C-alpha cells in the first residue's frame, strides 16, 4: 500500500496538508517565536516535512516505513540537510519526544493501534510547550476503515476531550465519499484540527 502511495506522490505534485498551511499562516502572524522546531509524525512522502523546512523549521521527521527516509534523502535540498533528523520507528514503539514548537500529524495518528494511542497522545501533549501548535487529523467512527482493529477512531466529543489543554484555532469535520491517493473508493470521516497549547493559569 505505502509503496503505491509513494509512487503516486512522486508523479503528482501535492501541496502540504491544509491544516499545516493554516498552522504556518498562524505562526507567520506571530512575532515572538524564537525557536522554530517541528516534529512531523508519520512524515510519509515528506510533502509536509519539506514545507516546514522551507519555512525555516528544523524538523524531526518520524515514520515507520524505511522508504520514507529514502524519499526524503532523494528530494532534500542541500541547504536543509542540517535541519532534518529522521527516526524510523512505529508510533507504538516511540519513546519520549523532544520539545517542539509545532507538532504536525497529517492523516497519521489514526494508524496508531488503539491500545497505544493514549500513551502516544500524552507524549505529544508533553512535547508541545505552552503557546506551541498542533495540527493534524483524526478519523471518525463513520470512516469506512473503522473495522480495522489496528487503527484508532474518535467521535467528535473524544476529539474535543483530547484538546482540553488547547485553544482550537481551526476545526473542520468532513464526511464524504472520496478516493485514497492510490485511487480506491472510500468514505472519509475526518476531523481537521489546528490548536494552540494554553498557558497554565496561575493559582
Amino acid at each position: 500500500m505505502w509503496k503505491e502511495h509513494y509512487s503516486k506522490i512522486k508523479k503528482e505534485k501535492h501541496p502540504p496538508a491544509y491544516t499545516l498551511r493554516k498552522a504556518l499562516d498562524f505562526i507567520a502572524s506571530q512575532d515572538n517565536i524564537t525557536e522554530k522546531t517541528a516534529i512531523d509524525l508519520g512524515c510519509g512522502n515528506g510533502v509536509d516535512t519539506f514545507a516546514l523546512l522551507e519555512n525555516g523549521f528544523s524538523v524531526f521527521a518520524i515514520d515507520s516505513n524505511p522508504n520514507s527516509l529514502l524519499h526524503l534523502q532523494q528530494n532534500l535540498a542541500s541547504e536543509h540537510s542540517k535541519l532534518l533528523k529522521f527516526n524510523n520507528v512505529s508510533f507504538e514503539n516511540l519513546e519520549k519526544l523532544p520539545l517542539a514548537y509545532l507538532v504536525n500529524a497529517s492523516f497519521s495518528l489514526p494508524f496508531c493501534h488503539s491500545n497505544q494511542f493514549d500513551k502516544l497522545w500524552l507524549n505529544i501533549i508533553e512535547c508541545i510547550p505552552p503557546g506551541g501548535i498542533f495540527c493534524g487529523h483524526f478519523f471518525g467512527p463513520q470512516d469506512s476503515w473503522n473495522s480495522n482493529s489496528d487503527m484508532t477512531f474518535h467521535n467528535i466529543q473524544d476529539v474535543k476531550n483530547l484538546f482540553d489543554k488547547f485553544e482550537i484555532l481551526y476545526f473542520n469535520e468532513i464526511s464524504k465519499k472520496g478516493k485514497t491517493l492510490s485511487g480506491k473508493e472510500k468514505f472519509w470521516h475526518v476531523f481537521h484540527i489546528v490548536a494552540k497549547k494554553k498557558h497554565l493559569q496561575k493559582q
Side-chain angles (χ1 to χ4, degrees), residues 6 22 24 37 74 81 112:
Y6 288 131
K22 292 286 285 185
L24 289 173
T37 53
Q74 288 174 342
S81 59
C112 177

Side-chain angles (χ1 to χ4, degrees), residues 127-183:
C127 85
I128 302 175
I133 304 294
F134 171 91
C135 56
H137 308 86
F138 300 84
F139 287 180
Q142 296 165 33
D143 195 276
S144 60
W145 286 340
N146 66 4
S147 59
N148 188 335
S149 59
D150 290 332
M151 293 176 64
T152 300
F153 300 85
H154 296 87
N155 63 39
I156 190 166
Q157 193 55 54
D158 293 335
V159 174
K160 288 182 176 178
N161 290 343
L162 291 175
F163 287 91
D164 62 346
K165 291 182 171 66
F166 289 77
E167 171 194 351
I168 302 295
L169 303 175
Y170 173 77
F171 184 97
N172 192 18
E173 179 182 3
I174 292 178
S175 303
K176 67 174 184 179
K177 286 183 180 178
K179 292 183 178 180
T180 64
L181 279 173
S182 56

Side-chain angles (χ1 to χ4, degrees), residues 109 117-125 134 138 162-163:
L109 295 183
F117 183 86
D118 288 347
K119 175 186 164 189
L120 172 64
W121 187 245
L122 183 62
N123 203 350
I124 292 169
I125 289 175
F134 171 91
F138 300 84
L162 291 175
F163 287 91

Side-chain angles (χ1 to χ4, degrees), residues 4 8 178-186:
E4 195 177 355
K8 183 86 171 175
K179 292 183 178 180
T180 64
L181 279 173
S182 56
K184 293 177 181 174
E185 294 279 346
K186 78 177 288 274

Side-chain angles (χ1 to χ4, degrees), residues 16-183:
Y18 184 70
T19 44
L20 176 58
R21 283 180 279 155
K22 292 286 285 185
L24 289 173
D25 285 346
F26 173 80
I27 291 165
S29 72
Q30 309 297 299
D31 56 9
N32 58 346
I33 300 164
T34 55
E35 196 171 345
K36 293 177 84 172
T37 53
I39 295 171
D40 194 5
L41 288 169
C43 62
N45 53 66
V47 170
D48 288 354
T49 298
F50 295 132
L52 286 162
L53 291 168
E54 286 160 10
N55 277 272
F57 280 83
S58 59
V59 184
F60 182 31
I62 296 168
D63 203 282
S64 61
N65 192 327
N67 288 330
S68 178
L69 176 59
L70 185 63
H71 189 87
L72 290 174
Q73 289 171 332
Q74 288 174 342
N75 295 277
L76 185 66
S78 58
E79 67 267 25
H80 295 150
S81 59
K82 290 182 180 178
L83 296 175
L84 177 66
K85 291 181 181 176
F86 180 85
N87 191 358
N88 178 212
V89 64
S90 70
F91 289 155
E92 289 82 4
N93 295 321
L94 191 61
E95 296 299 325
K96 188 171 181 177
L97 291 165
L99 282 177
Y101 174 74
L102 171 66
V103 171
N104 178 63
S106 294
F107 293 93
S108 59
L109 295 183
F111 294 94
C112 177
H113 195 287
S114 57
N115 290 344
Q116 297 295 318
F117 183 86
D118 288 347
K119 175 186 164 189
L120 172 64
W121 187 245
L122 183 62
N123 203 350
I124 292 169
I125 289 175
E126 288 181 345
C127 85
I128 302 175
I133 304 294
F134 171 91
C135 56
H137 308 86
F138 300 84
F139 287 180
Q142 296 165 33
D143 195 276
S144 60
W145 286 340
N146 66 4
S147 59
N148 188 335
S149 59
D150 290 332
M151 293 176 64
T152 300
F153 300 85
H154 296 87
N155 63 39
I156 190 166
Q157 193 55 54
D158 293 335
V159 174
K160 288 182 176 178
N161 290 343
L162 291 175
F163 287 91
D164 62 346
K165 291 182 171 66
F166 289 77
E167 171 194 351
I168 302 295
L169 303 175
Y170 173 77
F171 184 97
N172 192 18
E173 179 182 3
I174 292 178
S175 303
K176 67 174 184 179
K177 286 183 180 178
K179 292 183 178 180
T180 64
L181 279 173
S182 56

